[in-house]
Amino acid sequence: ALRPVVETHLKNAADNATDDHVKTYAKYSLLRLLRCGDQERRLEVPCIDEINAVIEYKPYSINITLVNSTAINMDVDAWTTIADVGKAVSHRVQIDNPIPFALFESNEDDLERVLDEEDRVMDIIAYWDRDIASRKTRNYMPDFRFVYKLRLYYDINENDTSAVELAYYQAVFDVNDSRYPCTEEDAVNLAAFEAQEKFGDYDGTDVFGDDVGAYLPAKFYDPDNVDEIKAKIYDTYQQLSGYDSFACKTNYLDYVKAWKFYGSAYFYAEPITNKILGKEFPKEVVLGVNAKGVLIIDPQNLDLLHELPYSEIVTWGYSARNFVFVVGNLVRSRKMFFETEEGLEMNSLIYAYINKLMEVEKLKA
């Protein structure tokens, strides 16, 4: 009821105020008043830094981290959404098809969650501030950050070079961070591709120096046998002479795409019954959702316990605490129940991947 009165007052001040400061502030306030009607109410109380930015009628500056460890700085305000930022980042890094990418919240423990496109950036930041302030101990203060990375592991057109490069750097990080199980041979071959991409043709120089551990999953790096693993990598590295940087990236991606675990988003779950489809499962499992299907994984040793390709999933559903798969075919099917609080994101990923598979099949027809 007060909006028309306030709007009239601000318009009058913007047009007729003799003080330039008052006129500027009135225009600034009028713009924000008009935008208030375009979006839902705020979920969080604005943080102090946002309030100070408004007092000075300036935007708030944030950093978006990319998976190649570079950062993009951009200005936001109270109305900027996650979708707005994602669109701006994809434009800045010149990605042709931004659909597979998303903005994540992450911290130094690599705990991350995908952010809802409709959320406001400043609400996320205010939540971080509130979360930190609510901690009774100061021994641990989480370092929250925005990360722009792949969420949906679709095949990327090689002409979309910026997207290919981001997918490559993410694959390198995930491999060397031991997110995918692999053999020593795999690790050696991939380290060789990474070296060729970064350093060019092998000339006999010890390009790794003391940093070879950064190019390998932890289990394949033994400080007492560094020379041995280096020799294996260099033996493969010299065979890649002539590969340019982009060829190394695409070959690296082709290599890891063949893995069943590639692109998996992991979710902890508890089978509601420990015997499903005639198999005994541990009390806790990890469900890996990727472009090919759903993997049921033993969290203790990363053994693959069962695989559900999308062709075998008749339907699925979820609630706040449970997820169910109906597997088999339309004639004979069985249900698999899991207890998990991650159903919303699991459902979103499975829905996106199955829709993509249906689009591809439709194009083939």
Side-chain angles (χ1 to χ4, degrees):
L2 287 176
R3 175 170 172 169
V5 177
V6 176
E7 187 174 337
T8 300
H9 173 71
L10 291 174
K11 284 181 178 178
N12 182 60
D15 293 337
N16 303 314
T18 57
D19 188 315
D20 288 340
H21 176 76
V22 172
K23 183 176 289 190
T24 301
Y25 203 81
K27 291 178 179 178
Y28 178 87
S29 301
L30 180 61
L31 175 63
R32 273 137 190 80
L33 178 65
L34 296 175
R35 292 189 67 181
C36 281
D38 299 333
Q39 291 176 289
E40 298 293 330
R41 61 182 295 179
R42 293 285 295 269
L43 299 177
E44 297 283 340
V45 175
C47 64
I48 295 299
D49 288 340
E50 180 185 354
I51 293 172
N52 288 335
V54 170
I55 290 173
E56 298 174 4
Y57 36 92
K58 292 180 179 179
Y60 185 91
S61 182
I62 64 170
N63 284 323
I64 310 297
T65 302
L66 304 180
V67 288
N68 60 357
S69 297
T70 61
I72 292 177
N73 181 267
M74 60 194 323
D75 291 337
V76 299
D77 60 26
W79 289 270
T80 307
T81 64
I82 295 298
D84 294 332
V85 173
K87 184 177 180 179
V89 173
S90 65
H91 179 75
R92 190 87 65 89
V93 298
Q94 299 180 319
I95 290 176
D96 295 335
N97 179 19
I99 291 176
F101 296 86
L103 208 62
F104 287 75
E105 170 193 279
S106 181
N107 64 27
E108 70 274 18
D109 293 328
D110 289 333
L111 297 174
E112 59 185 30
R113 68 181 179 101
V114 67
L115 296 171
D116 191 312
E117 289 193 338
E118 295 182 2
D119 285 348
R120 298 197 208 187
V121 173
M122 294 311 304
D123 274 345
I124 301 295
I125 293 173
Y127 168 77
W128 292 348
D129 278 10
R130 181 166 61 83
D131 181 64
I132 292 171
S134 68
R135 295 178 183 271
K136 295 180 179 179
T137 175
R138 300 300 176 184
N139 294 330
Y140 171 69
M141 298 295 286
D143 179 23
F144 291 109
R145 60 187 180 276
F146 293 109
V147 179
Y148 185 77
K149 55 182 283 191
L150 272 176
R151 174 175 176 255
L152 298 170
Y153 286 73
Y154 299 151
D155 286 335
I156 296 174
N157 190 319
E158 289 191 6
N159 292 326
D160 195 351
T161 55
S162 294
V164 169
E165 289 182 353
L166 282 185
Y168 163 75
Y169 288 120
Q170 187 161 332
V172 168
F173 177 84
D174 289 343
V175 168
N176 295 338
D177 196 45
S178 304
R179 297 192 179 194
Y180 305 134
C182 68
T183 65
E184 183 181 281
E185 181 183 2
D186 292 331
V188 166
N189 290 337
L190 293 172
F193 273 120
E194 193 179 352
Q196 178 70 18
E197 188 279 326
K198 187 173 184 178
F199 304 111
D201 291 347
Y202 180 64
D203 61 3
T205 305
D206 181 14
V207 295
F208 295 124
D210 296 330
D211 297 327
V212 69
Y215 296 80
L216 294 164
K219 71 175 182 178
F220 299 119
Y221 175 68
D222 181 355
D224 296 327
N225 292 291
V226 171
D227 292 339
E228 181 180 343
I229 194 68
K230 277 187 179 181
K232 292 179 180 179
I233 297 172
Y234 287 140
D235 184 55
T236 303
Y237 180 10
Q238 61 187 338
Q239 298 175 43
L240 299 177
S241 181
Y243 281 66
D244 63 24
S245 173
F246 194 73
C248 289
K249 291 170 181 171
T250 54
N251 276 273
Y252 191 108
L253 285 170
D254 287 342
Y255 196 111
V256 297
K257 282 178 184 177
W259 295 348
K260 290 182 178 180
F261 284 75
Y262 175 69
S264 293
Y266 298 118
F267 305 93
Y268 280 98
E270 296 181 11
I272 292 182
T273 57
N274 66 348
K275 192 171 184 178
I276 305 175
L277 302 181
K279 294 184 178 182
E280 295 283 347
F281 288 143
K283 184 178 178 181
E284 292 185 347
V285 298
V286 170
L287 301 178
V289 179
N290 60 43
K292 301 169 187 172
V294 179
L295 309 177
I296 304 176
I297 304 162
D298 188 330
Q300 300 301 317
N301 50 28
L302 297 185
D303 284 348
L304 181 57
L305 302 173
H306 194 74
E307 185 177 357
L308 292 173
Y310 289 125
S311 59
E312 295 181 9
I313 299 177
V314 180
T315 188
W316 70 94
Y318 74 99
S319 65
R321 293 189 58 83
N322 295 307
F323 203 98
V324 59
F325 296 101
V326 180
V327 299
N329 53 53
L330 294 176
V331 177
R332 184 170 180 237
S333 61
R334 286 173 287 182
K335 294 181 179 180
M336 302 176 67
F337 290 94
F338 296 89
E339 186 173 319
T340 178
E341 296 181 356
E342 304 289 344
L344 179 63
E345 177 62 4
M346 287 175 58
N347 172 72
S348 178
L349 289 173
I350 293 170
Y351 181 83
Y353 283 132
I354 289 182
N355 268 5
K356 185 65 175 180
L357 289 172
M358 292 174 65
E359 286 178 15
V360 172
E361 290 301 316
K362 188 175 181 181
L363 290 174
K364 290 179 181 179

